[in-house]
Amino acid sequence: MKVRTGLVIAAVALTGLSVSAVPAQAATTVVASQLAVPWGLGFLPDGSALFTERNTAKIRQLRNGTVTDVQTVPGVSAQGEGGLLGLAVSPQFAQNQTVFIYYTTASDNRIARVVLGQAPQPIVTGIPKANIHNGGRLAFGPDGLLYAGTGDAGNTSNAQNRASLAGKILRMTPEGGAAPGNPFNSLVYSLGHRNVQGLTWSTDGRLFSSELGQNTFDELNQIRSGANYGWPTCEGRCNNPSFVDPLATWSTSQASPSGIAFYKNSLYMAGLRGQRMWLIPVTNTGVGTPRALYQNQFGRLRTPVAGPDGNLYFTTSNRDGRGSPVAADDRIVRSDGA
């Protein structure tokens, strides 16, 4: 199924930015359908994709339009926003057949390494869990280290507590140890986060994250080692020198962001409640004027990833209990990202 979709522009509350209409088209093709809340998505060296399903606890593979089951992760507790969440493919996958997963159990959120077909081996445990704000995004940085976005697990004080793994961005070795050079001699890389959902890097090495706000402002942040992003004191900008203000903010009705990807010199930020993809140009000093793609075309959007074939891929999240699924949901969509 191939669709031509125009850009839809919405009012956005931004940090010194305004929105202008840009006439453009984006070609999209649904490459997988009837999935159950796909959450993490990553590509293997052979060009096939692996993805997780939050509620079924399955790791699945998409190859040439066909979806097959790889394995089911034991011990996953799929309650509320928890379940089998993020997935990151090892940079040495061709040698070790290993991926990393983030998942919720009955007692915690944890990160495990998985040699495909074998039992997961937890490398980080004890990340606070709740029905909401579990974070869950995993990504390897250009430094070869593994990064994880966590949520405050519904307890706002966690975000400012350096001893807690909740409400943080974590940076670790593939064995789960604190990465060399981390600012607090722990896994913690940055703090003061409500619910980090997306992590990506520009070609010059800048780390960007998308973060769910409470009732007013969702955030796009540029992440720096040791920086404090203000939650729960700040939702959006607070102009407090103790905290880093976001690069851009949106109302929660226009975004409620999940994953984020760097693609064609822009950030692509998926909107859940906003039911659109925000395309945000990256400049030398920050970001440019955002514009909206696919508004109300695919419903709730969860995870965008730049594919090895030069296309952008993204997942829908209409069967997560908050959407209005159609028969084809959930889907993985391929786009030229125009």
Side-chain angles (χ1 to χ4, degrees):
M1 179 171 61
K2 186 168 284 188
V3 184
R4 302 295 298 186
T5 180
L7 294 173
V8 183
I9 309 302
V12 183
L14 296 172
T15 307
L17 302 175
S18 60
V19 173
S20 58
V22 180
Q25 296 287 312
T28 59
T29 303
V30 174
V31 295
S33 59
Q34 295 183 318
L35 308 176
V37 196
W39 213 102
L41 175 67
F43 284 88
L44 301 183
D46 66 3
S48 67
L50 290 181
F51 63 94
T52 59
E53 286 185 338
R54 189 187 73 181
N55 293 355
T56 68
K58 289 180 179 180
I59 300 173
R60 310 187 76 188
Q61 186 168 24
L62 171 63
R63 187 196 302 271
N64 298 326
T66 299
V67 174
T68 56
D69 293 347
V70 176
Q71 64 192 89
T72 300
V73 178
V76 171
S77 177
Q79 302 293 323
E81 296 173 0
L84 181 55
L85 304 176
L87 177 146
V89 177
S90 167
Q92 288 79 43
F93 182 87
Q95 290 75 43
N96 60 25
Q97 303 293 299
T98 297
V99 300
F100 293 78
I101 56 173
Y102 186 116
Y103 61 104
T104 312
T105 74
S107 60
D108 63 359
N109 286 300
R110 55 184 57 187
I111 300 166
R113 56 187 299 142
V114 182
V115 177
L116 291 185
Q118 299 182 17
Q121 301 298 315
I123 61 171
V124 176
T125 60
I127 302 170
K129 60 154 283 189
N131 278 344
I132 58 173
H133 305 179
N134 289 292
R137 193 63 61 189
L138 292 178
F140 275 95
D143 55 9
L145 296 166
L146 181 62
Y147 292 69
T150 72
D152 67 10
N155 181 347
T156 59
S157 65
N158 283 335
Q160 293 296 322
N161 179 2
R162 289 186 188 176
S164 173
L165 297 179
K168 308 293 189 299
I169 292 175
L170 311 178
R171 178 175 176 258
M172 69 200 73
T173 68
E175 294 72 36
N182 275 7
F184 309 116
N185 297 313
S186 71
L187 292 172
V188 174
Y189 188 70
S190 64
L191 69 158
H193 300 288
R194 182 173 182 266
N195 194 11
V196 176
Q197 289 285 291
L199 299 168
T200 196
W201 288 262
S202 56
T203 51
D204 60 5
R206 282 175 286 172
L207 170 58
F208 298 90
S209 77
S210 51
E211 184 167 343
L212 286 162
Q214 186 172 27
N215 297 312
T216 309
F217 292 121
D218 297 317
E219 299 180 0
L220 170 68
N221 287 298
Q222 183 176 333
I223 302 302
R224 300 180 179 90
S225 174
N228 189 327
Y229 290 81
W231 178 254
T233 301
C234 305
E235 181 186 3
R237 294 178 61 88
C238 69
N239 299 308
N240 182 327
S242 298
F243 306 125
V244 177
D245 282 337
L247 294 175
T249 63
W250 289 257
S251 72
T252 54
S253 64
Q254 293 171 319
S256 295
S258 188
I260 190 170
F262 183 77
Y263 174 71
K264 292 185 176 179
N265 296 315
S266 293
L267 301 172
Y268 283 71
M269 187 179 79
L272 292 165
R273 184 179 170 194
Q275 298 191 21
R276 68 200 79 176
M277 185 80 69
W278 285 105
L279 187 163
I280 310 153
V282 173
T283 69
N284 289 335
T285 57
V287 294
T289 301
R291 60 186 196 252
L293 295 166
Y294 322 126
Q295 187 170 2
N296 298 319
Q297 182 182 352
F298 295 105
R300 293 165 60 83
L301 304 185
R302 173 73 66 180
T303 300
V305 174
D309 59 359
N311 291 302
L312 182 77
Y313 290 76
F314 60 89
T315 68
T316 70
S317 194
N318 294 312
R319 295 191 181 276
D320 63 5
R322 294 175 176 170
S324 300
V326 298
D329 280 323
D330 274 310
R331 292 163 279 177
I332 298 175
V333 182
R334 183 178 66 228
S335 167
D336 63 9

